[in-house]
């Protein structure tokens, strides 16, 4: 029996032109199988040499090639995935069709695994049943996938398309089994292409139909990524080359791996697995695959249509993809996927507007308005319960923003006006907003604290200095002394104003001004002042208002306490500065006074002295000397950090 090239055909559906040739092929396979049943087989080569072989009664598993195990494994995994989804979604029509699809995949992959990996021949009847059942499994698979898109993710109509499709494909299988059609292209390939085209059409209709249902749209995206990409690549590798007379049987076993991509994507979609994470990256994957397909189609068109060399056709294809497809892809991204995202500077400015609103109601209103502007939810609902972190729930339909006192937690529902799901990008933006708001709140609280402290300082300065001067003027009967007290009060007011404007004063001028003022005060009280001048390490060093005002107020309060409570006739003051510290020693010959308020006194001045010492990081101590009572004041000349 002479061997021919047709005897080594791997996949008859892909290589043979008609069912008549298919019957002849099976007849030759049967004859070869009968020869293999003998005890010996003699092969004659083209040079007339004979080679005697002893056919084995069985085939060891170790001799089965890798593509056999690939096809069998794909079939069983597809069946297990489909059955697992059906267990969790028994009431869903899409899960039932996925189950039937998994069974059909198991049927056509295991049948194909046997005859595509044969060593030479199989019995004719066995080969026919394996090949025909492979086609039946493929037909059922195509019918169930088309029907699946009729029901998934949303049913498109009341018409029972699923049963009609399955009945149509089974009937067509019977028609070709009875050889009413002879062309292999029409009998076994036309339905596959028709089903593929219908899936594209139904996918487009589903896309339009789910524009207001973001969960269904996300589930459809799983379908687009899995079914359309997987089956399109499978058809590109197996069926398209057949149209140009190229045999693809050797690729079939390995290309079955693409079906696992299909079932994985459909399982995730039907189970609604983390739909909100599909957000952006599915578009990138889809467009990159489309770019690769475009590159291949252009390359094939230049090779076969224009008869260009392979290097020139590939170069032109790459050039056109770079010039046309990549800009078009960027334009699509901007139109379809990009949403309003302010710059960090603009976002922070809007957060500041929320944090520094005049009252709680205004902050809440601005915070809700900002959330609506960024995420465009259909509903924004304040929540009584306090959340601690941003969370996405209900398959991405809701996102919860935790509250920052006094702002309440917010539940946002149906992002993008109900057209999309909340995504991890939305969660990251919300977390960034909250972090900015925390920082802004801390800045606002620090600002308010500074305002309160400044008001307290001004009140303290008014009480200690201007108030005491005006009170002295009020109780003086002598007009000149009253004028002097009022003049002193005006000087204090100028000091406060100078501090508010941020002016600095040289250390030498501060001590000289205090010395002159103290002389006038004790002279009015009939007390003698002994204050010799001493030099400082850096007499031109400038001090800020905080040191200047607090130091003058402390020295004034100490002098006033001596005048009011000590009954002294003489005061000695010595001021010096060394190693960045200002040392002031005040002695008097009156009654002992160690910084304690007399009975029935509120001691407001002494409490102010304690606050000023804390602000200056200074120390004040009292001691007894042979002269009388001594107060020692030490303050650093560098401002507090």
């Amino acid at each position: 029996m002479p061997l021919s090239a047709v005897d080594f055909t791997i996949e008859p559906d892909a290589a043979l032109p008609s069912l008549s040739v298919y019957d002849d092929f099976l007849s030759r396979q049967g004859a070869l199988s009968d020869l293999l049943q003998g005890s010996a087989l003699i092969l004659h080569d083209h040079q007339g040499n004979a080679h005697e072989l002893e056919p084995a009664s069985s085939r060891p598993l170790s001799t089965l090639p890798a593509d056999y195990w690939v096809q069998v494994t794909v079939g069983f995994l597809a069946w297990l995935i489909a059955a697992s989804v059906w267990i969790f979604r028994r009431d869903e029509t899409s899960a039932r069709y996925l189950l039937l699809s998994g069974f059909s995949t198991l049927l056509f992959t295991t049948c194909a695994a046997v005859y595509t990996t044969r060593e030479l021949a199989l019995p004719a009847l066995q080969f026919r049943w394996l090949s025909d059942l492979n086609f039946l499994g493929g037909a059922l698979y195509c019918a169930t996938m088309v029907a699946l898109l009729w029901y998934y993710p949303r049913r498109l109509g009341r018409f029972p398309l699923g049963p009609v499709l399955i009945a149509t494909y089974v009937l067509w299988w019977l028609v070709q089994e009875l050889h009413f059609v002879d062309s292999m292209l029409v009998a076994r390939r036309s339905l596959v292409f028709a089903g593929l085209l219908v899936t594209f059409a139904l996918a487009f209709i589903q896309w339009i139909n789910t524009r207001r249902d973001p969960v269904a749209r996300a589930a459809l995206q799983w379908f687009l990524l899995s079914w359309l990409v997987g089956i399109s690549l499978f058809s590109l590798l197996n069926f398209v080359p057949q149209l140009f007379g190229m045999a693809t049987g050797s690729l079939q076993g390995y290309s079955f791996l693409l079906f696992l991509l299909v079932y994985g994507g459909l399982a995730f979609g039907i189970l609604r697995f983390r739909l909100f994470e599909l957000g952006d990256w599915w578009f990138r994957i889809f467009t990159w695959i489309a770019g690769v397909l475009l590159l291949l189609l252009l390359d094939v068109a230049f090779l076969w249509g224009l008869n260009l060399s392979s290097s020139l056709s590939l170069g032109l294809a790459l050039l056109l993809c770079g010039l046309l497809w990549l800009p078009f892809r960027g334009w699509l991204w901007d139109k379809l996927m990009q949403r309003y995202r302010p710059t960090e500077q603009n976002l922070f400015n809007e957060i500041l507007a929320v944090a520094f609103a005049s009252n709680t109601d205004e902050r809440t209103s601005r915070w809700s308005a900002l959330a609506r502007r960024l995420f465009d939810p259909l509903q924004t609902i304040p929540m009584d319960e306090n959340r601690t972190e941003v969370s996405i729930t209900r398959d991405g339909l809701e996102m919860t923003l935790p509250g920052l006192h006094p702002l309440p937690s917010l539940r946002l529902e149906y992002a993008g006006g109900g057209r999309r799901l909340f995504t991890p990008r939305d969660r990251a933006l919300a977390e960034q907003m909250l972090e900015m708001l925390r920082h802004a709140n801390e800045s606002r609280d620090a600002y308010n604290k500074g305002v309160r402290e400044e008001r307290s300082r001004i009140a303290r300065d008014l009480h200690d200095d201007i108030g005491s001067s005006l009170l002295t003027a009020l109780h003086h009967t002598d007009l000149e002394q009253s004028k002097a007290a009022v003049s002193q009060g005006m000087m204090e007011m100028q000091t406060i104003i100078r501090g508010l404007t941020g002016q600095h004063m040289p250390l030498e001028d501060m001590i000289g001004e205090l010395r002159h003022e103290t002389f006038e005060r004790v002279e009015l009280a009939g007390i003698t002042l002994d204050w010799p001048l001493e030099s400082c390490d850096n007499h031109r060093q400038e001090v800020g208002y905080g040191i200047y005002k607090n130091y003058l107020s402390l020295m004034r309060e100490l002098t006033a306490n001596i005048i009011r409570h000590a009954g002294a006739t003489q005061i000695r003051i010595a001021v010096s500065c060394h190693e960045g510290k200002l040392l002031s020693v005040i002695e008097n010959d009156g009654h002992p006074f160690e910084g304690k308020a007399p009975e029935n006194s509120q001691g407001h001045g002494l409490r102010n002295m304690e606050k000023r010492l804390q602000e200056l990081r200074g120390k004040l101590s009292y001691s007894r000397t042979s002269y009388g009572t001594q107060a020692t004041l030490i303050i650093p000349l560098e401002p507090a950090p």
Side-chain angles (χ1 to χ4, degrees):
M1 178 180 176
L3 293 175
S4 64
V6 72
D7 297 322
F8 301 96
T9 299
I10 297 175
E11 176 54 75
D13 293 354
L16 303 181
S18 65
L19 291 177
S20 301
V21 177
Y22 173 62
D23 291 338
D24 294 338
F25 165 76
L26 292 178
S27 177
R28 292 182 60 81
Q29 283 286 303
L32 287 173
S33 179
D34 292 339
L35 291 176
L36 293 176
Q37 303 304 315
S39 59
L41 180 69
I42 300 175
L43 300 178
H44 299 273
D45 60 28
H46 65 284
Q47 296 177 347
N49 299 320
H51 307 273
E52 185 173 350
L53 304 175
E54 295 182 5
S57 59
S58 61
R59 185 177 182 182
L61 291 177
S62 59
T63 64
L64 293 173
D67 54 338
Y68 172 87
W69 298 109
V70 168
Q71 294 177 83
V72 172
T73 302
V74 167
F76 276 98
L77 287 179
W79 166 248
L80 288 176
I81 292 173
S84 300
V85 173
W86 176 75
I87 288 174
F88 288 102
R89 295 287 191 271
R90 294 189 181 186
D91 296 333
E92 293 190 17
T93 305
S94 57
R96 292 195 289 269
Y97 278 101
L98 185 66
L99 179 66
L100 181 58
S101 171
F103 171 76
S104 64
T105 304
L106 177 64
L107 179 62
F108 72 73
T109 55
T110 51
C111 290
V114 176
Y115 68 77
T116 58
T117 59
R118 68 190 187 280
E119 288 187 311
L120 181 59
L122 293 173
L125 184 60
Q126 180 182 349
F127 201 138
R128 180 180 291 276
W129 275 109
L130 288 172
S131 179
D132 291 356
L133 287 176
N134 167 263
F135 174 62
L136 176 61
L140 287 175
Y141 177 84
C142 190
T144 54
M145 285 298 166
V146 175
L148 186 64
L149 260 184
W150 180 259
Y151 300 101
Y152 172 87
R154 299 175 65 180
R155 183 164 182 161
L156 296 179
R158 303 299 301 173
F159 182 75
L161 182 64
V164 171
L165 277 174
I166 293 174
T168 301
Y169 274 75
V170 172
L171 180 62
W172 185 260
W173 179 80
L174 291 174
V175 167
Q176 64 85 33
E177 284 293 304
L178 297 174
H179 287 44
F180 289 123
V181 179
D182 188 53
S183 171
M184 187 69 78
L185 177 62
V186 176
R188 294 201 173 181
R189 300 171 200 163
S190 59
L191 281 186
V192 175
F193 284 109
L196 185 61
L197 292 177
V198 172
T199 57
F200 278 101
L202 292 180
F204 178 76
I205 295 173
Q206 287 280 14
W207 184 269
I208 299 300
N209 207 33
T210 56
R211 62 187 180 276
R212 291 293 181 180
D213 188 347
V215 174
R217 173 64 64 86
L220 182 62
Q221 290 173 357
W222 273 120
F223 184 90
L224 294 175
L225 280 177
S226 57
W227 160 249
L228 295 183
V229 172
I231 297 304
S232 297
L233 290 177
F234 182 84
S235 301
L236 183 67
L237 293 174
N238 290 275
F239 299 140
V240 173
Q242 295 172 20
L243 299 176
F244 300 95
M246 300 173 60
T248 59
S250 59
L251 296 175
Q252 177 174 285
Y254 297 103
S255 61
F256 280 169
L257 288 170
L258 293 170
F259 285 94
L260 292 182
L261 173 66
V262 174
Y263 282 99
L266 287 173
F268 287 155
I270 294 176
L271 292 175
R272 304 294 194 265
F273 178 75
R274 303 185 73 84
L275 295 180
F276 58 87
E277 291 191 349
L278 278 172
D280 302 328
W281 57 264
W282 79 270
F283 180 87
R284 295 190 179 96
I285 295 175
F286 196 79
T287 53
W288 275 114
I289 293 176
V292 172
L293 293 177
L294 177 63
L295 176 64
L296 293 176
L297 291 176
L298 288 174
D299 190 25
V300 170
F302 292 146
L303 277 173
W304 292 346
L306 301 179
N307 294 321
L308 301 178
S309 64
S310 58
S311 59
L312 181 58
S313 65
L314 180 60
L316 284 176
L318 287 173
L319 180 62
L320 287 177
C321 285
L323 293 177
L324 300 178
W325 174 248
L326 292 181
F328 179 70
R329 179 179 179 271
W331 178 82
L332 277 180
W333 172 261
D334 291 336
K335 291 295 183 181
L336 301 180
M337 302 303 296
Q338 288 288 63
R339 296 178 291 274
Y340 170 69
R341 285 291 187 273
T343 63
E344 288 192 358
Q345 181 62 44
N346 291 337
L347 179 60
F348 189 64
N349 290 338
E350 295 192 54
I351 293 294
L352 288 178
V354 174
F356 285 86
S358 58
N359 53 63
T360 300
D361 292 339
E362 182 66 18
R363 290 174 196 163
T364 303
S365 176
R366 291 185 180 183
W367 178 243
S368 300
L370 178 60
R372 288 193 297 271
R373 187 160 59 255
L374 292 179
F375 305 108
D376 190 21
L378 288 181
Q379 295 186 42
T380 303
I381 304 173
M383 302 174 61
D384 294 332
E385 56 181 312
N386 189 23
R387 301 295 182 90
T388 58
E389 61 182 12
V390 180
S391 60
I392 297 177
T393 55
R394 291 181 57 197
D395 295 326
L397 290 176
E398 293 181 357
M399 183 171 70
T400 302
L401 303 182
L404 293 178
H405 184 76
L407 299 179
S409 299
L410 294 179
R411 185 173 74 241
L412 311 180
E413 297 181 350
Y414 305 100
R419 294 183 297 274
R420 66 178 185 88
L421 300 177
F422 288 102
T423 67
R425 288 183 64 200
D426 295 323
R427 179 167 54 195
L429 177 60
E431 291 172 348
Q432 183 184 20
M433 291 168 54
L434 289 168
E435 185 61 31
M436 287 182 174
L437 184 58
R438 290 189 185 96
H439 179 74
N441 285 341
E442 292 173 358
S443 301
R444 183 199 64 223
D445 294 341
Y447 169 79
N448 290 335
K449 180 181 178 182
V451 170
R452 290 192 298 269
E453 291 179 351
E454 186 67 10
R455 288 173 178 171
S456 176
R457 181 187 65 79
I458 294 174
R460 188 170 62 241
D461 293 345
L462 292 173
H463 168 270
D464 291 354
D465 303 320
I466 299 179
S468 61
S469 298
L470 295 179
L471 186 63
T472 302
L474 182 63
H475 288 84
H476 269 301
T477 57
D478 184 76
L479 181 59
E480 293 299 325
Q481 291 181 342
S482 297
K483 289 182 178 180
V486 171
S487 176
Q488 178 65 27
M490 294 181 64
M491 292 175 58
E492 296 295 344
M493 184 173 63
Q494 292 175 354
T495 301
I496 295 174
I497 293 174
R498 181 164 51 196
L500 294 176
T501 57
Q503 297 181 15
H504 287 64
M505 172 177 281
L507 180 61
E508 182 180 53
D509 294 348
M510 179 186 73
I511 297 174
E513 180 180 305
L514 177 63
R515 185 171 180 271
H516 174 73
E517 173 191 322
T518 306
F519 264 110
E520 291 184 348
R521 293 184 66 187
V522 299
E523 183 180 4
L524 290 174
I527 301 176
T528 303
L529 176 62
D530 181 13
W531 187 337
L533 293 176
E534 296 187 23
S535 63
C536 291
D537 294 340
N538 186 5
H539 64 280
R540 297 309 299 172
Q541 176 180 349
E542 291 189 346
V543 293
Y545 176 76
I547 295 177
Y548 166 74
K549 188 67 185 71
N550 285 325
Y551 175 70
L552 260 61
S553 296
L554 284 169
M555 293 294 288
R556 288 168 179 164
E557 189 68 24
L558 288 172
T559 305
N561 287 335
I562 294 174
I563 295 174
R564 294 169 186 164
H565 309 299
T569 60
Q570 188 174 11
I571 300 176
R572 295 178 180 176
I573 298 178
V575 178
S576 61
C577 53
H578 303 285
E579 298 179 355
K581 294 183 179 180
L582 185 64
L583 173 64
S584 304
V585 179
I586 305 99
E587 291 182 298
N588 70 89
D589 60 353
H591 307 299
F593 177 75
E594 299 181 1
K596 296 181 181 180
E599 294 183 3
N600 301 324
S601 173
Q602 296 180 353
H604 190 71
L606 295 179
R607 286 194 296 272
N608 284 341
M609 289 178 64
E610 293 176 358
K611 292 180 181 179
R612 295 185 190 279
L613 285 170
Q614 291 176 359
E615 292 180 12
L616 291 174
R617 298 172 298 153
K619 295 180 180 179
L620 176 62
S621 59
Y622 295 90
S623 61
R624 293 290 295 168
T625 65
S626 58
Y627 185 74
T629 302
Q630 175 178 294
T632 303
L633 174 63
I634 302 175
I635 61 171
L637 292 176
E638 293 298 327

